[in-house]
Amino acid sequence: MPWGLILIVRSFALAVVGAAAISLSFASTASAQVDTDFNYTLTGADPVLAEHYHNGCTLHATSNNNYQTRPITITVSGTYSMEDRYATGDASAAIISGSFNPASPATGCVLSIDDGPVSGPVSAGNYTLVLSTLGDGPGTYGIRLNGPAAVVATSPTPVPTLSEWAMILFGTILAGGAALYIQRRRLIA
Protein backbone atom coordinates (compact mmCIF):
# COMPACT_ATOMS: atom_id res chain seq x y z
CA MET A 1 0.00 0.00 0.00
CA PRO A 2 1.60 3.34 -1.06
CA TRP A 3 2.08 5.99 1.53
CA GLY A 4 2.70 9.69 0.98
CA LEU A 5 3.59 12.97 2.56
CA ILE A 6 3.06 16.38 1.03
CA LEU A 7 4.70 19.46 2.53
CA ILE A 8 3.71 22.85 1.13
CA VAL A 9 5.49 26.00 2.27
CA ARG A 10 4.54 29.20 0.41
CA SER A 11 5.40 28.51 -3.25
CA PHE A 12 7.49 25.39 -2.68
CA ALA A 13 6.00 21.90 -2.58
CA LEU A 14 7.73 18.65 -1.61
CA ALA A 15 5.95 15.37 -2.13
CA VAL A 16 7.23 12.00 -0.99
CA VAL A 17 5.39 9.07 -2.54
CA GLY A 18 6.44 5.52 -1.72
CA ALA A 19 9.86 4.59 -0.45
CA ALA A 20 11.96 5.76 -3.40
CA ALA A 21 10.08 8.49 -5.32
CA ILE A 22 10.58 12.14 -4.41
CA SER A 23 8.87 14.89 -6.36
CA LEU A 24 9.95 18.51 -6.04
CA SER A 25 7.96 21.35 -7.56
CA PHE A 26 7.76 25.11 -7.40
CA ALA A 27 4.36 26.71 -7.73
CA SER A 28 4.37 29.96 -9.59
CA THR A 29 2.96 32.84 -7.64
CA ALA A 30 1.05 35.50 -9.51
CA SER A 31 2.18 38.95 -8.54
CA ALA A 32 -0.52 41.28 -7.32
CA GLN A 33 -1.67 43.93 -9.74
CA VAL A 34 -2.12 47.49 -8.51
CA ASP A 35 -4.80 49.94 -9.70
CA THR A 36 -3.99 53.65 -9.91
CA ASP A 37 -6.89 55.97 -10.76
CA PHE A 38 -6.49 59.38 -12.36
CA ASN A 39 -9.64 61.50 -12.10
CA TYR A 40 -9.61 64.87 -13.79
CA THR A 41 -11.88 67.74 -14.70
CA LEU A 42 -11.44 69.56 -17.97
CA THR A 43 -12.72 73.09 -18.50
CA GLY A 44 -13.00 75.34 -21.50
CA ALA A 45 -9.82 77.06 -20.27
CA ASP A 46 -7.74 73.89 -20.82
CA PRO A 47 -5.76 73.65 -24.08
CA VAL A 48 -7.33 71.85 -27.04
CA LEU A 49 -5.97 69.09 -29.30
CA ALA A 50 -7.18 68.71 -32.88
CA GLU A 51 -7.08 64.91 -32.45
CA HIS A 52 -7.83 62.40 -29.72
CA TYR A 53 -5.96 59.21 -28.81
CA HIS A 54 -7.29 55.87 -29.93
CA ASN A 55 -6.11 52.42 -28.86
CA GLY A 56 -2.61 51.62 -30.10
CA CYS A 57 -1.23 55.19 -30.14
CA THR A 58 -3.21 56.15 -33.22
CA LEU A 59 -5.01 59.48 -33.48
CA HIS A 60 -8.46 60.43 -34.77
CA ALA A 61 -9.41 63.94 -35.83
CA THR A 62 -12.24 65.43 -33.76
CA SER A 63 -12.89 68.83 -32.26
CA ASN A 64 -13.06 70.18 -28.73
CA ASN A 65 -10.50 67.74 -27.26
CA ASN A 66 -9.47 69.59 -24.13
CA TYR A 67 -6.49 68.02 -22.38
CA GLN A 68 -4.22 68.14 -19.33
CA THR A 69 -0.80 66.62 -18.78
CA ARG A 70 0.59 65.08 -15.62
CA PRO A 71 4.12 63.86 -15.01
CA ILE A 72 4.13 60.23 -13.82
CA THR A 73 6.75 57.69 -12.82
CA ILE A 74 6.52 53.98 -13.58
CA THR A 75 8.59 52.36 -10.82
CA VAL A 76 8.44 48.74 -12.04
CA SER A 77 8.67 47.55 -15.66
CA GLY A 78 5.92 45.22 -16.81
CA THR A 79 2.60 44.96 -18.58
CA TYR A 80 0.26 47.83 -17.74
CA SER A 81 -3.35 48.20 -18.77
CA MET A 82 -5.47 51.33 -19.14
CA GLU A 83 -9.22 51.63 -18.96
CA ASP A 84 -11.71 54.46 -19.28
CA ARG A 85 -13.62 54.95 -16.00
CA TYR A 86 -16.50 56.80 -17.75
CA ALA A 87 -17.11 59.43 -15.08
CA THR A 88 -19.39 61.89 -16.93
CA GLY A 89 -17.73 61.80 -20.33
CA ASP A 90 -15.76 59.58 -22.67
CA ALA A 91 -12.05 59.84 -21.85
CA SER A 92 -8.98 59.41 -23.98
CA ALA A 93 -5.44 59.13 -22.61
CA ALA A 94 -1.86 58.30 -23.52
CA ILE A 95 1.40 57.57 -21.76
CA ILE A 96 4.11 59.58 -23.50
CA SER A 97 7.82 58.89 -23.08
CA GLY A 98 9.51 62.17 -22.17
CA SER A 99 7.75 65.49 -22.59
CA PHE A 100 4.51 66.02 -24.50
CA ASN A 101 4.44 68.03 -27.74
CA PRO A 102 0.88 69.11 -28.63
CA ALA A 103 1.96 69.80 -32.24
CA SER A 104 2.92 66.12 -32.54
CA PRO A 105 0.80 64.26 -29.95
CA ALA A 106 1.71 60.73 -31.09
CA THR A 107 5.47 61.30 -30.68
CA GLY A 108 6.79 59.15 -27.83
CA CYS A 109 3.44 57.40 -27.30
CA VAL A 110 3.89 54.14 -25.39
CA LEU A 111 0.28 53.20 -24.59
CA SER A 112 -3.04 54.91 -25.34
CA ILE A 113 -6.74 54.30 -24.83
CA ASP A 114 -10.01 55.31 -26.38
CA ASP A 115 -12.42 52.56 -25.32
CA GLY A 116 -12.08 49.24 -23.58
CA PRO A 117 -9.07 48.15 -21.63
CA VAL A 118 -5.78 48.09 -23.53
CA SER A 119 -2.49 46.74 -22.28
CA GLY A 120 1.14 46.71 -23.25
CA PRO A 121 4.68 46.65 -21.92
CA VAL A 122 5.91 49.80 -20.18
CA SER A 123 9.47 50.18 -18.90
CA ALA A 124 10.29 51.83 -15.59
CA GLY A 125 10.95 55.54 -16.01
CA ASN A 126 9.47 59.03 -16.19
CA TYR A 127 6.55 59.70 -18.51
CA THR A 128 3.89 62.27 -19.28
CA LEU A 129 0.27 61.17 -18.91
CA VAL A 130 -1.94 63.06 -21.38
CA LEU A 131 -5.55 63.11 -20.19
CA SER A 132 -8.05 64.12 -22.85
CA THR A 133 -11.60 63.68 -24.14
CA LEU A 134 -13.23 62.35 -27.25
CA GLY A 135 -14.73 65.67 -28.26
CA ASP A 136 -17.02 65.77 -25.21
CA GLY A 137 -15.58 69.10 -24.11
CA PRO A 138 -15.50 70.20 -20.50
CA GLY A 139 -16.45 67.58 -17.90
CA THR A 140 -15.20 65.06 -15.36
CA TYR A 141 -13.22 62.05 -16.56
CA GLY A 142 -11.32 59.09 -15.18
CA ILE A 143 -8.59 56.70 -16.32
CA ARG A 144 -7.38 53.61 -14.45
CA LEU A 145 -3.83 52.26 -14.88
CA ASN A 146 -3.24 48.70 -13.69
CA GLY A 147 0.17 47.06 -13.45
CA PRO A 148 2.74 45.34 -11.26
CA ALA A 149 3.22 48.51 -9.18
CA ALA A 150 1.42 51.76 -8.50
CA VAL A 151 1.95 54.56 -10.99
CA VAL A 152 3.29 57.56 -9.11
CA ALA A 153 1.99 60.98 -10.06
CA THR A 154 4.96 63.27 -9.62
CA SER A 155 4.55 66.95 -8.94
CA PRO A 156 5.99 69.38 -11.41
CA THR A 157 8.81 71.54 -10.09
CA PRO A 158 7.11 74.41 -8.30
CA VAL A 159 7.78 77.94 -9.47
CA PRO A 160 8.79 80.08 -6.50
CA THR A 161 6.40 82.94 -5.87
CA LEU A 162 6.06 85.58 -3.20
CA SER A 163 3.27 85.25 -0.65
CA GLU A 164 0.58 87.92 -0.38
CA TRP A 165 2.27 89.58 2.61
CA ALA A 166 5.64 89.56 0.87
CA MET A 167 4.05 91.29 -2.13
CA ILE A 168 2.53 93.95 0.15
CA LEU A 169 5.90 94.51 1.84
CA PHE A 170 7.68 94.63 -1.53
CA GLY A 171 5.14 97.17 -2.87
CA THR A 172 5.53 99.32 0.24
CA ILE A 173 9.32 99.33 -0.03
CA LEU A 174 9.09 100.11 -3.74
CA ALA A 175 6.67 103.01 -3.10
CA GLY A 176 8.89 104.31 -0.28
CA GLY A 177 11.95 104.15 -2.53
CA ALA A 178 10.11 106.02 -5.29
CA ALA A 179 8.99 108.71 -2.82
CA LEU A 180 12.57 109.07 -1.52
CA TYR A 181 13.90 109.36 -5.10
CA ILE A 182 11.37 112.08 -5.95
CA GLN A 183 12.16 113.95 -2.69
CA ARG A 184 15.92 113.94 -3.45
CA ARG A 185 15.36 115.14 -7.04
CA ARG A 186 13.39 118.09 -5.74
CA LEU A 187 16.16 119.03 -3.28
CA ILE A 188 18.83 118.93 -6.01
CA ALA A 189 16.81 121.04 -8.46
Side-chain angles (χ1 to χ4, degrees):
M1 180 165 170
W3 56 275
L5 168 69
I6 298 178
L7 175 65
I8 301 175
V9 179
R10 293 193 141 222
S11 62
F12 173 75
L14 173 66
V16 178
V17 181
I22 296 178
S23 173
L24 191 61
S25 66
F26 293 92
S28 65
T29 56
S31 60
Q33 295 290 297
V34 180
D35 288 338
T36 307
D37 289 332
F38 290 92
N39 299 312
Y40 56 104
T41 300
L42 296 172
T43 67
D46 288 312
V48 176
L49 286 174
E51 302 169 298
H52 75 266
Y53 290 99
H54 193 63
N55 300 347
C57 291
T58 59
L59 297 168
H60 291 279
T62 55
S63 61
N64 203 22
N65 300 305
N66 296 95
Y67 73 94
Q68 294 175 356
T69 61
R70 296 191 186 167
I72 61 171
T73 300
I74 304 288
T75 56
V76 176
S77 297
T79 299
Y80 285 80
S81 66
M82 295 175 80
E83 72 177 280
D84 185 348
R85 301 300 295 163
Y86 296 104
T88 59
D90 201 1
S92 173
I95 297 174
I96 305 293
S97 178
S99 61
F100 174 66
N101 179 1
S104 180
T107 301
C109 184
V110 175
L111 189 64
S112 70
I113 185 171
D114 176 355
D115 290 316
V118 296
S119 62
V122 181
S123 300
N126 295 320
Y127 295 90
T128 301
L129 179 62
V130 180
L131 303 163
S132 183
T133 69
L134 274 82
D136 291 344
T140 302
Y141 304 90
I143 293 291
R144 173 170 286 167
L145 295 175
N146 177 282
V151 176
V152 180
T154 55
S155 299
T157 305
V159 176
T161 59
L162 295 174
S163 71
E164 184 177 353
W165 285 105
M167 290 294 285
I168 291 169
L169 180 62
F170 179 69
T172 303
I173 291 171
L174 188 61
L180 186 61
Y181 176 76
I182 292 171
Q183 179 77 18
R184 285 190 176 176
R185 275 188 97 200
R186 284 186 185 166
L187 290 174
I188 296 173

